[in-house]
Amino acid sequence: MLTRDEDPARRAARLERIVSVLIDRVDRLEERRGSAWSMFQAAVALEQEALARTRDLEQALADLSEKNRDLAVARAAAEEANRSKTRFLRAASHDLLQPLSAARLFLSALSDTELDPLQQELAGRLAGAFESVEELMHAVLDISRLDSQRIEFHRKPVELDALFRRLGAEYAPMAEAAGLRLSFVPTSAVVDSDPTFLRRIAQNLVSNAIKYTETGGVVVGVRRRAGLVWLEIHDSGVGIGESDRARIFDEFQRAVREGGPQGMGLGLSIVRRACAKLGHPLEVAARPRGGTVFRVGLAPAAPGGAENGFRPLALHGLRARMALIVENDAAMRRGYELMLGDRLGMVVRAAGGIAEALAVMGQDDPPDVILADYNLDNGDTGIGAIEALRAAAGQHIPAVMVTAQRGPGPARASAALGVPLVEKPVRADELGAILLRAISS
């Protein structure tokens, strides 16, 4: 505090210090004021930047939402197109396979007659052409079924040794014609799978091995490893390079074998699809001394009954047995008459529908077996035909269902009726064995 009696010099010095402190304080206040203003201006700028970025983000989200809607519409259209393709192939399969099946029956009957060398050659070439068409049809239909999201599998215990016997009977002529040894190692293994698709997997692998093996042979067997039963197909062919082992499972990928039979490049694609759908691991590797081995991992079946599959039977047991054919296609009826009557010695009665079949049966004793096509005219089915004929006869008549329709419907209906199902085109010996087994059981 200043006083009047204080020394002026001293008083002046104190005033200078006070003024200096005040000026310093004012300077600091001005600095703080300037800093706050700068911060205010910065905050305003940041807010404007945030608003701009928010508008950009909202626009991007709106664009993304629109693109998602377009993608959803495109996906729905693609799924509907795929369903339409599947429905078309399923519906068309009956009409496509019907004439092919009839032609196969006629060709089988022709082959049993006396032919001169030129006719034998022509019949052989026709048989080869039908085999190629049938293989292509089955491949396209199999891929369509496996690509369908609504495919149904009927898993059950499958006896591999019975499958091996069936494959041996089917592919022994093909291997013999190529000068190759085809052998199956006996096994007691029973696995859990869909018997129809497991057979298709094995058929494609065995057929592929024979086609691309020039000398030596093909061996099929099983090996137990890591808790699985591995179905193995070994061949002595040229092998598959490591860089090609993934590519071979794509559609229309095939090796070119000079002078040998050429596949369509669909078999291994079907194998991959079926194994993926069924949850069966699939492996391919080179053999130490050349050739290739394909492996399919199968889970062991729980104890219980197994799908016995095909066992070659003496077909002379069909002679003089009566078969009632219910088939709406006239060419197929005639083909059955030639195959079952002329070739297997059966007494054949044929009808185009349920009413006609009931009339035919009314003139004779009940047949030994009914062979019915699943799709009949006027919305009727072979299921209805078998039920009507059994009811009219008052007894359980053995029956076999034949179909060209690929889908779960015929399989479910036939299984519910306890009737074996055969897919067209039918093979004479196989159909004869199934008919004999139905009669015997």
Side-chain angles (χ1 to χ4, degrees), residues 374-387:
Y374 183 80
N375 294 99
L376 301 175
D377 292 334
N378 303 317
D380 291 335
T381 67
I383 297 294
I386 293 170
E387 291 175 336

Side-chain angles (χ1 to χ4, degrees), residues 371-374 382-383 386 399-403 414 417 419-422:
L371 181 64
D373 189 81
Y374 183 80
I383 297 294
I386 293 170
V400 174
M401 188 74 66
V402 181
T403 184
S414 300
L417 197 61
V419 173
L421 180 68
V422 181

Side-chain angles (χ1 to χ4, degrees), residues 122-175:
L122 292 175
R125 291 186 180 277
L126 280 173
F130 278 119
E131 288 287 345
S132 297
V133 173
E134 180 184 346
E135 185 180 352
L136 178 59
M137 289 289 299
H138 280 301
V140 171
L141 293 171
D142 282 344
I143 289 177
S144 174
R145 293 171 65 188
L146 289 167
D147 283 345
S148 172
Q149 298 300 317
R150 301 178 61 184
I151 187 171
E152 293 183 15
F153 292 109
H154 302 278
R155 302 182 77 110
K156 60 180 70 175
V158 181
E159 181 186 334
L160 288 184
D161 205 51
L163 175 62
F164 287 177
R165 288 193 292 272
R166 186 169 190 169
L167 293 171
E170 187 173 355
Y171 287 101
M174 180 179 177

